Amino acid sequence: MTVIGDSPAHEGAEPPTIAQLAELAGVSMATVSKVVNGRSQVAPETRALVEGLIQQHGYRRQRRRVNPAAAVEVLFHELAGDYPVEIIKGVGRVAREHHMAVMISELQGRHTPGSDWIEELLRRRPSGVIAVYSGLTPGQRARLAQREIPLILLDPTGEPGHGVPSVGAGNWNGGLAATHHLLDLGHRRIAIITGPAHALSSRARLDGYRAALDTAGVPVDPDLICQGEFMIQDGLTYTHRLRRLPDPPTAIFTCNDGQAVGVYRAAHELGLRIPDDLSVVGFDDMPPVRWLIPALTTIRQPLTEMAAAATTMLVNLAKGEPLPQNRIEFATELIVRGSTGPVPKIK
Amino acid sequence: MTVIGDSPAHEGAEPPTIAQLAELAGVSMATVSKVVNGRSQVAPETRALVEGLIQQHGYRRQRRRVNPAAAVEVLFHELAGDYPVEIIKGVGRVAREHHMAVMISELQGRHTPGSDWIEELLRRRPSGVIAVYSGLTPGQRARLAQREIPLILLDPTGEPGHGVPSVGAGNWNGGLAATHHLLDLGHRRIAIITGPAHALSSRARLDGYRAALDTAGVPVDPDLICQGEFMIQDGLTYTHRLRRLPDPPTAIFTCNDGQAVGVYRAAHELGLRIPDDLSVVGFDDMPPVRWLIPALTTIRQPLTEMAAAATTMLVNLAKGEPLPQNRIEFATELIVRGSTGPVPKIK
């Protein structure tokens, strides 16, 4: 066995206490405590030294207590559209009950935060982090774990992995229900516009779509599968492209409501009436889609409830209580409105 | 002159120091310091006693420094639609530059927060508060001032008053420009759907509308002025009502974009084409309105820029720097799209 220097920490040993960290760093216990508790008035190089030791050896808090500046940090990959508001509402509802603040970070379109974010987060020391449609690197997850800051993934982009608790929706079932609904209306040429390939939710919706077609004995046509980016523009671009096919689709299932808005625009430009000439099913059921003309048939995922559940998990973990389950999945629901109708008669 | 009890604080005196507060309360300086700094581990009755003394006598921080847990608290009257996201984006942009956290509170539809909010806020001790389309009571403002927590009003509902810094948009000019645009297209029967009576922004838009009509020599008809609540439903309800008038309007100016969505729905139900039979102008220019069919003509107010400016003001005040101006107003801009056209010929 190799012992490096005079370090008291090695494989299998208990993580050091504040006193041991202070000795290792050659600083006072008060200084280590300041770093651990995210206080200011520590020289940057001292902070870096202590942070480095904690990364190397770990650190165990003496006794667990609810964070004095109790706060939920919500990490969004991007602030756009109604999706963030639905989530903040759900987080806020549970946070208020527990007298916790709600803090918002945005990754401006990236799906994992940079190193600056984690340093500032450790300084803010929230009670826990909810990462929405994003994830942390294994290193970032380890830093949070060392500080006993729980992490919950909400609508995760990838496999949560390594026992990270997560909250999601029945995406596969949603894809299945949307496609069944169109099949029931007599459609056989059904296109799908998906989200990005890295999004687990989108993959599940696509698999549900495939399963519904398979079950109905309708062949899956790769020409009818369009990979989008969850953007309104996807619906516009792909609808034009799909309608140029020799045998164009009579129905389009979009993997979010925004894309359906783009389909509406393309249909208008092409002189197609919804649902007479083209049926459309969205996904999410954001509040404004009932106001579209015609009102959008969509798959509802209860984002506000999902966010509330993630926050409850976070509160329990922050109190040191075990979770009854590591993954909570909310059922999705088909909401039939005016954008879907029988397959048009062949002219 | 009356001196009450043995209190060292009286009219005109300097606010007490921590030591003086500790003496008044009969507690240790450490305890007062904990209350002042929002730390835990203070008995509720002790905290209440010290808070009461600070309310009564004030308190002066020894020397000014940037808050160690630097954070901007954004207070929304309600989280709904795209409006909050546009604002959080602007706050986040400036907060990131200054390594500050962004905290969100929601009043669930109320326009001034309850007493629980202010107590928890003082415990969180943010660097400052941005109240969006809401306000604080004079007592709440005083509590923030005592703690030197700056307050900025963004899109204030009422008169900011008492030197409270604020950021707004050129609402009056926006109302004027929307109405001028419709007058230029030949419309004379122009209706307006406003926000609630207590909203200063809505009053200014209405006054701009009146001024444009006056200037053009078009009489202001009270039947064409509908007071709404900034809700989509307003547009639906009032359009139906307006079209039942003996001399119905040929154009409707709505004081937010959501209301215009409701007008679109009503027009569809009434078999009216936009803009052929009815012109519509919105207000805000939220990102999705360019996707309406037809795309909405609207008055753009740069909410994200406004929120960024409010945050910059907050940062400066938190650093103890004076503001060059107490009120910043952003210009609004007419964005002409497809929902406005020439007045229809009389059939």
Side-chain angles (χ1 to χ4, degrees):
Chain A
M1 190 180 109
T2 318
V3 177
I4 299 154
D6 57 355
S7 163
H10 48 78
E11 276 300 318
E14 277 288 299
T17 61
I18 284 188
Q20 289 167 327
L21 282 170
E23 209 185 315
L24 280 167
V27 301
S28 70
M29 278 175 66
T31 300
V32 174
S33 170
K34 276 178 192 165
V35 174
V36 163
N37 292 300
R39 304 263 174 75
S40 62
Q41 299 165 311
V42 180
E45 53 275 24
T46 310
R47 184 184 297 279
L49 172 66
V50 175
E51 291 279 6
L53 287 167
I54 292 173
Q55 277 190 61
Q56 196 182 338
H57 304 291
Y59 150 70
R60 183 160 293 271
R61 192 183 294 281
Q62 255 25 36
R63 63 188 181 81
R64 214 178 234 295
R65 56 186 171 83
V66 170
N67 191 319
V72 182
E73 171 111 7
V74 189
L75 177 67
F76 286 99
H77 106 284
E78 191 169 23
L79 290 170
D82 298 274
Y83 177 99
V85 163
E86 295 302 301
I87 286 169
I88 298 170
K89 270 161 70 174
V91 173
R93 191 203 300 161
V94 176
R96 264 194 305 277
E97 283 168 22
H98 294 274
H99 308 284
M100 294 169 97
V102 177
M103 299 195 292
I104 306 290
S105 303
E106 189 201 0
L107 302 178
Q108 297 134 280
R110 287 176 301 162
H111 285 278
T112 51
S115 61
D116 47 340
W117 175 81
I118 192 90
E119 299 308 330
E120 291 187 7
L121 183 97
L122 293 180
R123 215 164 298 183
R124 287 199 285 273
R125 207 169 50 107
S127 313
V129 176
I130 298 175
V132 184
Y133 188 59
S134 57
L136 302 189
T137 64
Q140 290 167 340
R141 285 207 295 259
R143 302 276 312 268
L144 289 188
Q146 282 158 359
R147 296 297 180 83
E148 303 189 345
I149 296 175
L151 168 68
I152 321 276
L153 302 184
L154 177 56
D155 192 7
T157 43
E159 289 290 343
H162 304 302
V164 177
S166 67
V167 177
N171 290 302
W172 186 88
N173 281 301
L176 188 83
T179 314
H180 267 160
H181 171 60
L182 293 168
L183 287 165
D184 288 348
L185 289 165
H187 296 275
R188 289 298 173 270
R189 296 290 290 164
I190 301 170
I192 183 171
I193 303 176
T194 73
H198 61 80
L200 207 64
S201 59
S202 170
R203 283 183 173 268
R205 291 168 204 176
L206 173 60
D207 283 345
Y209 157 90
R210 282 203 186 98
L213 292 178
D214 272 356
T215 317
V218 176
V220 173
D221 180 351
D223 282 350
L224 298 185
I225 300 177
C226 308
Q227 191 189 300
E229 293 288 330
F230 282 146
M231 307 288 276
I232 295 177
Q233 184 66 45
D234 301 339
L236 177 58
T237 309
Y238 282 121
T239 304
H240 278 285
R241 195 176 301 175
L242 287 165
R243 293 300 295 196
R244 286 195 296 267
L245 290 174
D247 187 9
T250 58
I252 302 178
F253 166 41
T254 63
C255 283
N256 80 358
D257 288 343
Q259 292 171 327
V261 169
V263 175
Y264 274 51
R265 164 55 57 98
H268 176 72
E269 291 173 359
L270 291 162
L272 297 172
R273 290 160 306 159
I274 297 171
D276 310 63
D277 304 314
L278 183 68
S279 283
V280 186
V281 182
F283 203 107
D284 281 344
D285 194 28
M286 289 297 171
V289 301
R290 70 193 62 183
W291 293 97
L292 289 176
I293 299 169
L296 184 67
T297 295
T298 191
I299 303 292
R300 176 171 149 72
Q301 68 168 329
L303 284 171
T304 301
E305 299 308 317
M306 289 160 65
T311 312
T312 301
M313 286 169 106
L314 183 153
V315 169
N316 290 341
L317 288 173
K319 282 187 194 158
E321 292 167 9
L323 292 180
Q325 66 223 84
N326 221 27
R327 162 85 181 170
I328 297 180
E329 197 160 295
F330 279 77
T332 52
E333 189 189 353
L334 172 70
I335 309 287
V336 179
R337 296 199 184 100
S339 66
T340 45
V343 65
K345 300 272 180 291
I346 295 158
K347 285 159 196 170
Chain B
M1 193 179 109
T2 318
V3 177
I4 299 153
D6 57 355
S7 161
H10 49 78
E11 275 301 318
E14 278 287 299
T17 61
I18 284 189
Q20 289 169 325
L21 282 171
E23 208 186 316
L24 279 168
V27 300
S28 72
M29 278 175 67
T31 299
V32 174
S33 171
K34 277 178 191 162
V35 174
V36 163
N37 292 301
R39 303 261 175 76
S40 60
Q41 300 165 309
V42 180
E45 54 274 25
T46 310
R47 184 183 297 279
L49 172 67
V50 176
E51 290 280 6
L53 287 167
I54 292 173
Q55 276 191 62
Q56 195 181 340
H57 303 291
Y59 150 70
R60 182 159 294 272
R61 192 182 295 281
Q62 253 30 29
R63 63 187 181 81
R64 215 177 235 294
R65 54 184 172 82
V66 170
N67 191 321
V72 182
E73 171 111 8
V74 189
L75 177 67
F76 286 99
H77 106 284
E78 191 169 23
L79 290 170
D82 299 273
Y83 176 99
V85 163
E86 296 302 301
I87 285 170
I88 297 170
K89 271 160 71 174
V91 172
R93 191 202 301 161
V94 176
R96 266 194 305 278
E97 283 167 22
H98 294 274
H99 307 284
M100 295 169 97
V102 178
M103 299 196 292
I104 306 290
S105 303
E106 188 201 1
L107 301 178
Q108 299 134 282
R110 287 175 301 164
H111 284 277
T112 50
S115 61
D116 46 341
W117 175 81
I118 192 89
E119 299 307 331
E120 291 185 9
L121 183 98
L122 293 181
R123 217 166 296 185
R124 290 199 282 276
R125 208 169 49 109
S127 313
V129 176
I130 298 176
V132 183
Y133 188 59
S134 57
L136 301 188
T137 64
Q140 290 167 340
R141 285 206 297 261
R143 303 278 309 268
L144 290 187
Q146 282 157 359
R147 294 298 179 84
E148 301 188 348
I149 297 175
L151 167 69
I152 320 275
L153 301 184
L154 177 55
D155 191 8
T157 43
E159 290 290 344
H162 305 301
V164 177
S166 67
V167 177
N171 290 304
W172 187 87
N173 281 300
L176 189 82
T179 314
H180 267 161
H181 171 60
L182 292 168
L183 287 165
D184 288 348
L185 289 165
H187 295 275
R188 290 297 174 268
R189 296 290 291 165
I190 301 170
I192 183 171
I193 303 176
T194 72
H198 61 80
L200 207 64
S201 59
S202 170
R203 283 183 173 270
R205 291 168 203 176
L206 174 59
D207 284 345
Y209 157 89
R210 282 204 186 98
L213 292 178
D214 271 357
T215 317
V218 175
V220 174
D221 180 349
D223 283 349
L224 298 185
I225 300 177
C226 309
Q227 190 189 300
E229 293 287 332
F230 282 146
M231 307 288 275
I232 295 178
Q233 184 66 45
D234 301 339
L236 177 58
T237 308
Y238 282 120
T239 303
H240 278 286
R241 195 176 299 176
L242 287 164
R243 293 299 297 193
R244 286 196 295 268
L245 290 174
D247 187 8
T250 58
I252 302 179
F253 165 41
T254 62
C255 283
N256 80 358
D257 287 344
Q259 293 171 326
V261 169
V263 174
Y264 274 50
R265 164 56 57 98
H268 176 72
E269 291 173 359
L270 292 163
L272 297 172
R273 291 160 305 159
I274 297 171
D276 310 61
D277 304 314
L278 183 68
S279 284
V280 186
V281 182
F283 203 106
D284 281 343
D285 195 28
M286 289 297 171
V289 301
R290 71 192 63 184
W291 294 97
L292 289 175
I293 299 169
L296 184 66
T297 296
T298 191
I299 302 293
R300 178 170 149 71
Q301 67 168 331
L303 284 172
T304 301
E305 299 307 318
M306 288 160 65
T311 313
T312 301
M313 285 169 104
L314 183 152
V315 168
N316 290 342
L317 287 173
K319 282 187 193 158
E321 291 167 8
L323 293 179
Q325 65 221 88
N326 220 29
R327 163 84 181 171
I328 298 181
E329 197 159 297
F330 280 78
T332 52
E333 189 189 354
L334 173 70
I335 310 288
V336 178
R337 297 199 183 98
S339 66
T340 44
V343 66
K345 299 273 180 291
I346 295 160
K347 286 161 194 166

